[in-house]
Amino acid sequence: KAGVTQTPRYLIKTRGQQVTLSCSPISGHRSVSWYQQTPGQGLQFLFEYFSETQRNKGNFPGRFSGRQFSNSRSEMNVSTLELGDSALYLCASSFGGFGADHTEAFFGQGTRLTVV
Amino acid sequence: AQSVSQHNHHVILSEAASLELGCNYSYGGTVNLFWYVQYPGQHLQLLLKYFSGDPLVKGIKGFEAEFIKSKFSFNLRKPSVQWSDTAEYFCAVNPRGTGTASKLTFGTGTRLQVTL
């Protein structure tokens, strides 16, 4: 079956702009999480969406937001981009329903965002 | 809040050498434990996971890990590494009871370089 698909793969944006990243989870998965990966901070959890609702949130400023659609696809938005937002943004897909504690997350290839 | 420590940041081994990568976590409750691998240019892939039961778990490509509850450790091992094991390895934990498999806390990663 198809894996987690993230688009676009690469983006270059200017400081102050906003950006929207997209993630299509594995079919049947209803939970989508987003992570930021940087050389300095490693992999950091941004937020998780389940059934179109944000269920968990990490410690990122409000400039980082997301949403989930009824087909479980998710988008992440970053407004007023800063140089420090340059990173690989990863999406993770998991089952998310009852018993989800005993399942694992599957990751997409990521979107590499460069802010100049 | 939970945290994960990976003490080896960069490991260089010759092919056929044995591998052990350390992982310690800090959390007051029960966790699920994972090792993910990121090959150059590829997405994060699950190597192995521990939910409960036998503390020695076997994963793909000959990797295994042992959960030692008293030491809060989940070390990764492989008896004989291959050049193709060159990658970055991440230990991650997911607290039980969050209702999701996708709210992971990652270690900073260990870059493994295997030489011929």
Side-chain angles (χ1 to χ4, degrees), chain A residues 9 31-33 35 37 42-43 45 48 55-57 88 90 92-94 96-97 100-109, chain B residues 32 34 36 38 41-46 49 51-52 88 90 94-108:
Chain A
R9 292 289 310 280
S31 169
V32 174
S33 293
Y35 292 81
Q37 186 177 18
L43 280 147
F45 173 77
E48 183 223 3
R55 185 163 64 172
N56 288 288
K57 189 176 186 306
L88 181 66
L90 296 172
S93 158
S94 63
D101 272 2
H102 288 76
T103 60
E104 66 260 26
F106 298 85
F107 285 81
Q109 289 201 282
Chain B
N32 295 330
F34 305 87
Y36 282 88
Q38 191 171 34
Q42 294 190 30
H43 62 283
L44 275 171
Q45 300 172 41
L46 183 67
K49 60 196 177 191
F51 295 145
S52 62
E88 191 148 17
F90 294 92
N94 181 45
R96 296 269 188 86
T98 58
T100 178
S102 296
K103 188 174 185 292
L104 295 160
T105 297
F106 283 88
T108 51

Side-chain angles (χ1 to χ4, degrees), chain B:
Chain B
Q2 63 271 19
S3 64
V4 179
S5 297
Q6 290 182 245
H7 311 295
N8 314 101
H9 296 295
H10 189 192
V11 173
I12 303 173
L13 293 173
S14 299
E15 235 187 7
S18 65
L19 170 73
E20 179 157 4
L21 301 182
C23 172
N24 287 88
Y25 68 93
S26 171
Y27 183 67
T30 306
V31 296
N32 295 330
L33 296 149
F34 305 87
W35 276 96
Y36 282 88
V37 61
Q38 191 171 34
Y39 298 103
Q42 294 190 30
H43 62 283
L44 275 171
Q45 300 172 41
L46 183 67
L47 262 184
L48 45 75
K49 60 196 177 191
Y50 175 78
F51 295 145
S52 62
D54 188 344
L56 185 62
V57 292
K58 295 192 184 300
I60 61 171
K61 304 187 181 188
F63 286 91
E64 65 178 32
E66 185 177 13
F67 171 52
I68 303 179
K69 190 175 180 180
S70 61
K71 294 185 178 180
F72 297 90
S73 69
F74 189 56
N75 293 351
L76 180 71
R77 299 194 291 247
K78 186 172 184 179
S80 175
V81 295
Q82 300 174 304
W83 179 80
S84 58
D85 293 325
T86 295
E88 191 148 17
Y89 293 80
F90 294 92
C91 180
V93 302
N94 181 45
R96 296 269 188 86
T98 58
T100 178
S102 296
K103 188 174 185 292
L104 295 160
T105 297
F106 283 88
T108 51
T110 297
R111 186 172 299 277
L112 171 65
Q113 185 179 346
V114 180
T115 60
L116 295 170

